[in-house]
Amino acid sequence: MSRQESSRKGEDWKKLSRPNVIIRVRPQAECGGHQETDDRLSVEIRLHSWTEDTISIEDSHQVREYTFPRKVISPEASQEESYKSLLPPLMEKFLKPPLSDDSKVNNAYNILLFAYGQTGTGKTHSIFGPKTSLSQTENQSDWGVFPVTVSKILDHMATVKHEGIECILTVGALDFYVGTCVDLMNNREPVEVDEKRTPLGYKELQLSSLEELLSFLETILKARKSFGTRMNEASQEDDHDGSSRSHCALILTLRQVNKENRQCLVNRFTIVDLAGAERPSTTGGERMSAFEAYIEEKNVLGQLVF
């Protein structure tokens, strides 16, 4: 989902684009995920089949085919294949530099990408990647959407600098949990949200290298609220810390200035790892109900398209 804004002097308009849905099917895991052994937790709705743009779900009565996805990513797809299916059209808009012609409009984009799904379906894995991959800058093939996005932005900044465009990239991290918003970069201090549902006063960190990115990720992943449930137990064997119990929003702001004509363009890219929404009796944890979680997610996403 993206929002386009006009930056021409005297104009004030915004255009919200139609959201695109991409489904990633995770492989069946040997531990964690949905490998329930208790009959009371058996999953009656099963994945039947899929194509590149359809997915079919089977229950005890029938098979239903859904055609709403723009693309379906198969269980065999790697992290690299997954983000190549997601990022190119978004990055093309986000990285567009300021125009050199003063008579034309600089269109700013606010982009929102969020991972939604049941507990244990791989949302955090898709957004961040496995923890072991975030300990080094050399091997990026297992990185998730967020670190890859930052890497692409840093490459862009280095390229356009030789074209007379100066860039500053900043990042903030917010955690939404049971109706509260806290700053993961500031010891989980509460963050206010104004009448326009815009988060105010959260800490932002300037990023200029991959080393700074990995340090940032280490900080927020430690601060994020996470614990295991019966549907997605923490496991030391597969480098898994348990299920994410809160909505984590990573807010990237790219400021670009054309030094020749002083045209400035500010784009924002928000990436959200939503918590799963299940009944507490299913997960074995203290959770919101599915309806409460749905309302919570709508509020969170409303606050982040700003």
Side-chain angles (χ1 to χ4, degrees), residues 8-26:
R8 175 182 283 174
K9 186 175 181 180
E11 287 190 355
D12 183 18
W13 60 267
K14 302 171 183 178
K15 180 182 179 182
L16 188 65
S17 69
R18 181 179 180 180
N20 287 316
V21 177
I22 295 179
I23 293 178
R24 185 178 187 184
V25 183
R26 66 157 287 176

Side-chain angles (χ1 to χ4, degrees), residues 23 45-46 49-59 62-70 72:
I23 293 178
I45 299 176
R46 298 172 297 276
S49 61
W50 67 89
T51 66
E52 288 190 355
D53 54 7
T54 66
I55 191 162
S56 298
I57 304 298
E58 178 184 16
D59 58 25
Q62 60 183 324
V63 175
R64 294 185 178 90
E65 182 181 85
Y66 297 92
T67 59
F68 62 84
R70 186 170 68 86
V72 176

Side-chain angles (χ1 to χ4, degrees), residues 20-304:
N20 287 316
V21 177
I22 295 179
I23 293 178
R24 185 178 187 184
V25 183
R26 66 157 287 176
Q28 185 70 43
E30 294 182 1
C31 60
H34 300 286
Q35 285 278 71
E36 299 89 11
T37 57
D38 189 335
D39 290 340
R40 293 173 300 174
L41 299 180
S42 62
V43 179
E44 296 182 1
I45 299 176
R46 298 172 297 276
L47 177 65
H48 179 266
S49 61
W50 67 89
T51 66
E52 288 190 355
D53 54 7
T54 66
I55 191 162
S56 298
I57 304 298
E58 178 184 16
D59 58 25
S60 57
H61 303 289
Q62 60 183 324
V63 175
R64 294 185 178 90
E65 182 181 85
Y66 297 92
T67 59
F68 62 84
R70 186 170 68 86
K71 184 174 179 59
V72 176
I73 302 172
S74 74
E76 294 78 20
S78 65
Q79 288 282 79
E80 186 173 6
E81 290 171 324
S82 297
Y83 65 67
K84 283 182 177 179
S85 299
L86 287 167
L87 288 182
L90 299 176
M91 297 303 289
E92 182 180 358
K93 293 179 179 180
F94 184 74
L95 297 179
K96 188 176 181 179
L99 298 173
S100 56
D101 188 343
D102 293 342
S103 64
K104 295 184 178 179
V105 177
N106 271 310
N107 292 321
Y109 286 92
N110 290 342
I111 297 172
L112 173 63
L113 184 153
F114 61 92
Y116 174 85
Q118 194 176 18
T119 293
T121 50
K123 299 183 297 298
T124 300
H125 178 82
S126 295
I127 295 297
F128 294 100
K131 186 188 296 185
T132 52
S133 73
L134 301 177
S135 61
Q136 56 181 331
T137 60
E138 291 80 12
N139 184 13
Q140 303 177 15
S141 60
D142 286 335
W143 280 9
V145 169
F146 176 76
V148 170
T149 298
V150 174
S151 178
K152 300 293 186 187
I153 296 172
L154 293 177
D155 289 344
H156 165 81
M157 292 167 59
T159 299
V160 298
K161 186 175 183 178
H162 301 293
E163 302 171 3
I165 297 174
E166 291 289 340
C167 302
I168 295 177
L169 175 66
T170 59
V171 62
L174 303 178
D175 201 42
F176 296 85
Y177 184 70
V178 193
T180 61
C181 176
V182 298
D183 190 343
L184 293 177
M185 291 295 295
N186 190 23
N187 299 316
R188 298 189 63 86
E189 286 293 316
V191 174
E192 292 187 11
V193 178
D194 67 11
E195 65 277 1
K196 295 182 179 180
R197 300 192 296 183
T198 302
L200 301 174
Y202 60 89
K203 184 177 180 179
E204 290 186 281
L205 174 71
Q206 185 172 335
L207 294 179
S208 56
S209 69
L210 294 180
E211 288 76 15
E212 291 175 347
L213 164 65
L214 297 187
S215 177
F216 163 79
L217 286 173
E218 181 181 9
T219 298
I220 66 159
L221 290 175
K222 285 181 179 179
R224 192 174 181 195
K225 192 173 182 66
S226 175
F227 56 86
T229 70
R230 286 203 299 263
M231 295 189 71
N232 192 4
E233 294 290 350
S235 171
Q236 295 181 353
E237 295 180 359
D238 63 353
D239 187 42
H240 186 258
D241 288 333
S243 182
S244 307
R245 315 322 300 153
S246 58
H247 311 298
C248 178
L250 307 169
I251 305 170
L252 294 164
T253 304
L254 178 63
R255 297 170 174 87
Q256 301 181 90
V257 178
N258 186 318
K259 292 193 294 184
E260 181 179 349
N261 60 7
R262 311 308 297 173
Q263 284 269 27
C264 179
L265 186 61
V266 181
N267 289 338
R268 183 175 288 110
F269 198 141
T270 303
I271 298 176
V272 186
D273 179 18
L274 291 171
E278 293 84 31
R279 294 185 298 275
S281 60
T282 302
T283 61
E286 294 180 3
R287 297 276 294 134
M288 294 176 284
S289 69
F291 176 74
E292 290 170 330
Y294 171 73
I295 297 301
E296 173 91 352
E297 286 159 1
K298 286 192 67 177
N299 289 334
V300 169
L301 298 177
Q303 290 167 13
L304 294 175

